[in-house]
Amino acid sequence: PEPEPAVDTVALVAAVRASAGPAEVKDELAIQPLRDPMVEDFRQQAQRFEDEHKYADAAGALDQAIAIVGDDPAVLQERAEAALLAADFVGAEAFARKAHAVGAQVGPLCRRHWATIKAAREHAKDDAGVAEAQKQFDACRVAAPPRY
């Protein structure tokens, strides 16, 4: 059999992050979790490692953050994306599903969860899983409540 073509994981992660949409959206409900200051150092360290293409080190820094706050959906999603960068599609899906389970299940972060899951399902050639992930991705967009 022919070998699988190499996956451009950097482009894949960029697409996942872009799927969230613009950071400041006024017409959509977006839940912003409170940040634990102890975790911010690990998140920044992970970003530096990612910028240097040291994906295993980035994953390690995020694992340390998860050891402190294992239920932070943003950190779990960042860990899912670090797994994608390392071409660990099974791990990426697991982290994204956990992030979705403990997160708000609406808004930009929700879309990143499902874009990650969709990428993992595409890699596994699971058409039904891809369709379900797309359906869930579409359901993440919820209009913001009216402000008076």
Side-chain angles (χ1 to χ4, degrees):
E2 291 184 34
E4 289 282 321
V7 177
D8 183 352
T9 57
V10 173
L12 186 58
V13 169
V16 165
R17 291 175 179 163
S19 72
E24 295 297 321
V25 177
K26 302 282 190 252
D27 63 342
E28 179 182 14
L29 182 62
I31 309 298
Q32 297 296 327
L34 297 174
R35 294 278 167 234
D36 184 325
M38 293 174 55
V39 173
E40 283 306 303
D41 285 341
F42 290 120
R43 292 177 78 212
Q44 290 172 4
Q45 185 179 34
Q47 185 60 56
R48 282 192 302 275
F49 284 136
E50 183 182 324
D51 293 343
E52 297 168 1
H53 304 285
K54 296 178 181 176
Y55 303 129
D57 293 336
L62 290 168
D63 287 340
Q64 289 180 291
I66 290 169
I68 297 170
V69 288
D71 61 349
D72 184 322
V75 174
L76 289 165
Q77 179 59 36
E78 290 167 7
R79 181 59 179 89
E81 292 165 4
L84 274 183
L85 286 167
D88 175 9
F89 291 91
V90 173
E93 182 174 356
F95 280 112
R97 286 189 182 278
K98 183 175 181 185
H100 181 263
V102 299
Q105 301 179 357
V106 296
L109 191 56
C110 175
R111 286 194 294 281
R112 282 173 59 190
H113 303 324
W114 286 105
T116 302
I117 294 167
K118 182 179 174 187
R121 297 291 80 220
E122 285 172 343
H123 186 264
K125 296 179 179 22
D126 173 10
D127 293 337
V130 169
E132 177 62 22
Q134 183 62 50
K135 179 180 166 190
Q136 295 294 332
F137 177 91
D138 294 339
C140 290
R141 188 172 299 280
V142 175
R147 300 187 113 173
Y148 301 102

